[in-house]
Amino acid sequence: MTSKKRRSNGRRTREAYGFILPGVLYMLVVVGYPIVYNFILSFKDTSVRNLATGTSKFIGFQNYIELFHNPTFILVLKNTFVFTIGSLIFQFTIGYLLALFFYKKFALSGPIRGLMLIPYMMPMAVTGLLGQNLFLNSGLINNLLSKVGIAGPAWLTSTSTAMIAVVIMNCWVGIPFNMLLLISGMSNISEDVYEASAIDGASRMQQFWKITMPLMKDSILAVLMLGFIYTFRAFDLMFIMTAGGPLNSTDVLGTYSYMLSFTQYQFSKGSAVAIVLFLCLLLIGILYLLLLRKDDKEEEA
């Protein structure tokens, strides 16, 4: 390689690093620093009394030990998984059925599909307020039930129904998102594959299980993973609809961390809950990467 080429390559490398540097600095300041600070805070005994003076003591894993011995935290952790898995099951199933329906072109399919995306585009705060009004004792849901002779429950003030109401509203937002991504995955499957299988005598059901599902494996995995991440870190929906109540029945890790930090002013314990949330999502992200790597190896083999 001539010296002129080396200088040219060196200049291009410096230019590339110059373009990357602002993004790296932004991530370090806006994302990296808060995460590191939160980790450090979770190992201290920081409360409203010693936050300003900076005299909080380092107590190691004591906050985490206390959390996992706290029945309320165990309930909150269980609520988070129940809310996430319950939402994912209904979001994905209904979203998949709608994707299969709207994948076929018919009159007004485009406008109808666009209208169905409105819940996804709405701010979650608006969705929370809408859900609160729908599920009030005198709200629309109970009014409709009363017209058919059914006494509606106290949705948002009963420990047995509050989570159901929150899951329904979260599914209302998540179904269009699932539908949109799954339709995109279906559009990557060539029609020639279906035509060839039809010539060989494959039924619609056989095409679905033997062609559509296997070829959409990557899209399905991505939809489930993104849905899990977005749902697991939920905060604003239950904060607005129920504020975590009644009796912590809709409290999730996000709302519980907020309550500890900004209601009870136990900043270190609130940080510890946030770190538990972060680690759960990190494990899911690692699992997703491992599954992708496994698929790549299978394809190469």
Side-chain angles (χ1 to χ4, degrees), residues 41 44-57 59 63 66 260-261 263-269:
L41 193 62
K44 292 184 174 182
D45 180 20
T46 305
S47 64
V48 71
R49 295 188 302 274
N50 54 32
L51 179 66
T53 59
T55 57
S56 56
K57 296 184 296 183
I59 58 173
N63 287 319
E66 289 179 7
L260 287 174
S261 298
T263 304
Q264 300 180 12
Y265 303 111
Q266 300 180 46
F267 301 111
S268 290
K269 284 187 178 177

Side-chain angles (χ1 to χ4, degrees), residues 58-288:
F58 182 83
I59 58 173
F61 288 95
Q62 187 62 35
N63 287 319
Y64 295 94
I65 294 170
E66 289 179 7
L67 279 178
F68 281 97
H69 283 85
N70 185 346
T72 302
F73 174 76
I74 301 301
L75 173 64
V76 167
L77 193 60
K78 186 186 83 170
N79 287 344
T80 307
F81 280 99
V82 168
F83 171 73
T84 302
I85 294 171
S87 295
L88 277 184
I89 290 171
F90 290 104
Q91 284 177 7
F92 179 79
T93 304
I94 300 172
Y96 205 136
L97 292 174
L98 289 173
L100 290 170
F101 179 74
F102 284 106
Y103 179 65
K104 301 298 181 183
K105 303 296 182 184
F106 58 89
L108 299 177
S109 64
I112 294 173
R113 192 166 62 186
L115 288 172
M116 291 188 66
L117 291 174
I118 290 176
Y120 175 66
M121 294 185 291
M122 289 174 61
M124 193 59 80
V126 176
T127 302
L129 289 171
L130 177 63
Q132 193 179 56
N133 288 312
L134 284 173
F135 288 100
L136 285 173
N137 292 349
S138 57
L140 178 63
I141 303 296
N142 281 354
N143 283 337
L144 292 175
L145 289 175
S146 65
K147 290 183 185 299
V148 294
I150 299 173
W155 292 96
L156 302 180
T157 55
S158 171
T159 55
S160 59
T161 56
M163 181 62 78
I164 296 173
V166 175
V167 168
I168 289 172
M169 291 309 298
N170 190 63
C171 289
W172 186 68
V173 175
I175 286 169
F177 174 74
N178 281 256
M179 179 190 73
L180 190 64
L181 291 184
L182 290 169
I183 288 176
S184 299
M186 289 177 186
S187 64
N188 294 326
I189 303 175
S190 173
E191 288 292 333
D192 296 338
V193 181
Y194 292 107
E195 291 173 5
S197 66
I199 293 171
D200 291 335
S203 65
R204 290 281 185 181
M205 191 59 67
Q206 288 173 326
Q207 288 179 340
F208 176 76
W209 288 110
K210 300 294 185 180
I211 297 174
T212 305
M213 289 296 286
L215 292 180
M216 285 192 63
K217 184 171 65 174
D218 290 342
S219 298
I220 290 171
L221 185 60
V223 168
L224 291 175
M225 202 58 57
L226 287 172
F228 188 96
I229 291 169
Y230 290 152
T231 309
F232 197 83
R233 63 182 180 82
F235 168 79
D236 35 13
L237 183 62
M238 46 276 295
F239 185 77
I240 292 171
M241 282 186 67
T242 62
L247 299 175
N248 301 106
S249 61
T250 58
D251 245 337
V252 291
L253 290 173
T255 56
Y256 191 57
S257 175
Y258 176 88
M259 184 190 71
L260 287 174
S261 298
F262 302 109
T263 304
Q264 300 180 12
Y265 303 111
Q266 300 180 46
F267 301 111
S268 290
K269 284 187 178 177
S271 295
V273 174
I275 294 302
V276 172
L277 172 60
F278 170 77
L279 291 176
C280 289
L281 294 179
L282 181 63
L283 289 173
I284 293 297
I286 292 171
L287 175 63
Y288 177 58

